């Protein structure tokens, strides 16, 4: 097979952040992905375009920011956000370049539709979203690899695992939603790691043990896919990428623009190109960079994409990488528009509503993990601007935006953020963004006809 056209496998999961042994969490047992990292290229400073599921995946698979590609919120149910009609998914781009394409497991980057409709819209020869739990998804991925590897064309396989997303189960404490559902077990065999932005309490330890168990389960499924590539003899000419959509589903992580919400694992291996050996790449990168990288590898480019190619970084060339990364959230559970810019030293967050200080991603009435800040809890609300000095405050616990000595940094980052919003035509600059639910509800009201005049 042509060396310039490798097979491509992208594995992604929900809500992982960088919670892997290879990213410095020794209590998280992930031997398969750790071995993969030791044999690939691990990006230590990779970030999502958005800290929630659908917008981040839409950026990952289109190479364009969520506010431009149309997915400003969740794509399932009555949320119903969708890619713009002219947006092209990675599957479609590769299908058009002669690849056999297949998707199994989690799909969450465009409007939820039957598999046949997704195949047509996104450019897949085969789509199977009937299972999303890691074990049966791995079964389907292995089956697809058997078919794809026997063909004459290079292939693209997209594999999505639900775990470690929160999953309700009968063992959940009253008023909570945990991580283990009815099919997983907690894992504290090596202890538990409490992220530094959370309080260390018995309840947080119990919840983190559940999370570690879910991550371990996902790792086993990912390992099955990796092992099958070796068994088929196609691993050397297959570019394998593992990543996730955003940070952990914990308070002040998922659904926030703090680093714990935007940080993602990103591991790439392509032995035939030399992307191997356990190299660590420390440059700032965004998941919006993935599609441009894959197109660049295939000697193809698209100037409408917002990401930048990582080909030089992966090849080991001298490349300074990005000077800053951007992040955004508009809708998730509710409307709470925020934008951010992050350099190696500072993070500036612009809040466009006076919503709560953080959006709680726990899906629980009773929160088992409690963040260290805000100390005011549910009575804390967004300030217009937040600034964090990441050198002294890596967990973004102290907002220094109002301190006079940081005025020049605030001004510089605010200019950069505004310029990015203008250049990418962020609709937030024109006022409040309305949701598909708003359009639907107005349509229902209008369908009832004009109201009767008051007497």
């Amino acid at each position: 097979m042509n060396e310039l056209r490798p097979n491509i496998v992208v594995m992604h999961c929900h809500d992982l952040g960088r919670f892997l042994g290879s990213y410095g969490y020794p209590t998280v047992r992930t031997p398969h992905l750790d071995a993969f990292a030791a044999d690939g290229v691990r990006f230590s400073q990779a970030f999502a375009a958005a800290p929630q599921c659908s917008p981040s995946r839409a950026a990952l698979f289109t190479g364009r920011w969520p506010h431009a590609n149309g997915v400003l919120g969740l794509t399932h149910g009555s949320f119903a956000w969708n890619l713009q009609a002219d947006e092209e998914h990675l599957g479609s781009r590769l299908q058009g370049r002669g690849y056999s394409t297949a998707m199994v497991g989690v799909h969450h980057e465009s409007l939820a539709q039957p598999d046949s409709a997704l195949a047509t819209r996104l450019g897949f020869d085969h789509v199977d979203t009937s299972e999303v739990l890691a074990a049966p998804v791995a079964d389907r991925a292995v089956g697809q690899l058997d078919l794809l590897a026997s063909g004459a064309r290079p292939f693209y396989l997209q594999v999505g695992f639900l775990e470690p997303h929160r999953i309700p189960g009968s063992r959940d404490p009253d008023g909570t939603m945990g991580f283990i559902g009815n099919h997983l077990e907690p894992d504290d065999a090596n202890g538990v790691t409490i992220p530094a932005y959370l309080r260390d309490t018995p309840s947080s330890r119990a919840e983190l043990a559940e999370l570690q168990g879910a991550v371990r389960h996902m790792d086993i499924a990912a390992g099955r896919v990796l092992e099958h590539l070796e068994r088929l003899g196609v691993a050397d000419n297959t570019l394998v990428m593992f990543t996730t959509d955003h940070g952990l589903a914990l308070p002040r992580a998922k659904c926030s623009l703090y680093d714990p919400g935007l940080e993602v694992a990103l591991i790439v291996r392509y032995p035939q190109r030399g992307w191997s050996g356990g190299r660590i790449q420390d440059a700032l990168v965004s998941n919006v960079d993935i599609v441009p990288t894959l197109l660049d590898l295939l000697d193809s480019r698209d100037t409408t994409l917002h990401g930048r190619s990582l080909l030089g970084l992966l090849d080991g060339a001298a490349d300074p990488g990005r000077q800053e990364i951007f992040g955004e959230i508009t809708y998730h559970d509710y409307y709470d528009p925020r934008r951010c810019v992050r350099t190696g030293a500072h993070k500036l967050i612009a809040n466009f509503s006076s919503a709560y200080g953080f959006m709680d991603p726990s899906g629980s009435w009773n929160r088992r993990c409690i963040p260290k800040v805000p100390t005011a809890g549910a009575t804390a609300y967004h300030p217009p601007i937040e600034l964090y000095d990441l050198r002294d405050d890596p967990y973004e616990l102290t907002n220094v935006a109002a301190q006079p000595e940081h005025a020049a940094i605030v001004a510089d980052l605010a200019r950069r953020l505004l310029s990015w919003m203008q250049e990418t035509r962020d609709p937030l600059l024109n006022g409040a963004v309305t949701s598909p639910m708003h359009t639907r509800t107005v349509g229902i009201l209008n369908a009832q006809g004009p109201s009767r005049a008051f007497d």
Side-chain angles (χ1 to χ4, degrees):
M1 190 170 292
N2 190 325
E3 183 179 340
L4 296 178
R5 299 180 68 206
N7 306 312
I8 299 171
V9 175
V10 175
M11 291 191 289
H12 61 100
C13 69
H14 272 287
D15 300 9
L16 177 69
R18 301 183 189 138
F19 205 53
L20 298 171
S22 53
Y23 276 90
Y25 293 94
T27 66
V28 184
R29 295 196 290 171
T30 49
H32 302 93
L33 288 171
D34 293 347
F36 176 58
D39 193 33
V41 180
R42 178 172 66 83
F43 286 83
S44 65
Q45 292 291 306
F47 294 89
Q52 74 276 46
C53 310
S54 298
S56 176
R57 281 186 176 83
L60 170 65
F61 292 118
T62 67
R64 287 166 51 80
W65 301 108
H67 65 255
N69 67 38
V71 181
L72 284 81
L74 296 169
T75 58
H76 65 280
S78 60
F79 298 106
W81 289 92
N82 196 11
L83 291 172
Q84 303 280 13
D86 59 350
E87 291 292 333
E88 191 171 8
H89 191 280
L90 176 60
S92 176
R93 291 181 181 276
L94 294 177
Q95 188 183 59
R97 288 163 175 79
Y99 275 70
S100 297
T101 56
M103 173 200 292
V104 295
V106 170
H107 154 267
H108 212 194
E109 60 264 30
S110 66
L111 185 68
Q113 295 177 285
D115 287 350
S116 59
L118 290 177
T120 299
R121 172 64 183 91
L122 303 181
F124 286 94
D125 303 318
H126 174 83
V127 171
D128 182 355
T129 62
S130 61
E131 293 284 355
V132 294
L133 296 179
V137 168
D139 291 338
R140 283 156 175 75
V142 165
Q144 280 300 305
L145 284 173
D146 287 336
L147 294 172
L148 293 166
S150 65
R153 295 187 292 163
F155 63 80
Y156 170 57
L157 176 63
Q158 183 173 312
V159 183
F161 302 121
L162 179 65
E163 294 93 340
H165 196 283
R166 288 179 182 269
I167 303 172
S170 59
R171 294 170 291 174
D172 290 340
D174 187 47
T176 71
M177 183 192 301
F179 292 95
I180 56 175
N182 292 322
H183 67 296
L184 303 176
E185 295 298 329
D187 181 18
D188 60 358
N190 292 340
V192 295
T193 299
I194 306 298
Y197 53 90
L198 298 177
R199 300 181 193 175
D200 189 342
T201 66
S203 63
S204 66
R205 288 186 164 270
E207 187 159 58
L208 265 295
E210 291 184 10
L211 175 57
Q212 292 184 174
V215 174
R216 183 186 181 204
H217 181 78
M218 181 276 299
D219 174 75
I220 293 170
R224 287 191 57 210
V225 178
L226 294 168
E227 290 163 6
H228 203 66
L229 287 167
E230 297 285 350
R231 190 174 297 115
L232 291 171
V234 298
D236 281 353
N237 192 43
T238 299
L239 186 164
V240 182
M241 178 181 300
F242 174 83
T243 191
T244 186
D245 50 1
H246 49 67
L248 298 170
L250 296 172
R252 221 168 178 267
K254 178 180 178 178
C255 297
S256 86
L257 294 182
Y258 306 117
D259 276 10
L262 291 172
E263 64 187 17
V264 294
L266 177 60
I267 307 169
V268 183
R269 186 187 69 190
Y270 178 18
Q272 199 170 84
R273 180 92 180 196
W275 301 354
S276 58
R279 281 192 288 127
I280 299 173
Q281 179 52 254
D282 295 322
L284 286 173
V285 302
S286 170
N287 68 354
V288 80
D289 298 330
I290 300 306
V291 169
T293 301
L294 296 177
L295 292 182
D296 195 10
L297 179 65
L298 300 176
D299 200 24
S300 178
R301 291 163 187 81
D302 183 341
T303 58
T304 68
L305 299 183
H306 293 140
R308 65 186 302 273
S309 174
L310 306 179
L311 205 59
L313 292 172
L314 285 162
D315 283 340
D319 185 339
R322 288 177 171 270
Q323 298 304 302
E324 69 271 303
I325 60 102
F326 298 95
E328 63 177 275
I329 180 171
T330 306
Y331 282 89
H332 192 68
D333 294 328
Y334 52 84
Y335 184 58
D336 184 6
R338 288 161 273 158
R339 303 290 186 264
C340 77
V341 56
R342 184 201 194 278
T343 66
H346 295 92
K347 162 89 65 66
L348 182 136
I349 301 174
N351 299 301
F352 294 84
S353 80
S354 55
Y356 295 113
F358 65 90
M359 187 182 290
D360 182 9
S362 70
S364 304
W365 289 111
N366 300 319
R367 189 182 301 138
R368 287 190 283 172
C369 286
I370 301 173
K372 292 179 179 178
V373 297
T375 56
T379 61
Y381 302 96
H382 292 316
I385 297 293
E386 299 172 59
L387 178 72
Y388 298 94
D389 187 333
L390 302 173
R391 299 164 300 184
D392 300 329
D393 182 23
Y395 298 104
E396 298 154 287
L397 302 179
T398 303
N399 178 13
V400 297
Q403 296 180 7
E405 60 268 31
H406 292 101
I409 296 170
V410 170
D412 174 55
L413 293 182
R415 282 192 294 267
R416 294 200 218 182
L417 184 60
L418 178 61
S419 177
W420 169 72
M421 294 176 71
Q422 291 171 333
E423 290 171 3
T424 59
R425 299 183 179 182
D426 192 333
L428 196 56
L429 292 174
N430 299 323
V433 177
T434 55
S435 68
M437 184 72 165
H438 176 275
T439 303
R440 180 183 176 191
T441 302
V442 170
I444 292 172
L445 295 177
N446 285 334
Q448 308 311 310
S451 60
R452 187 174 62 186
F454 288 108
D455 293 333

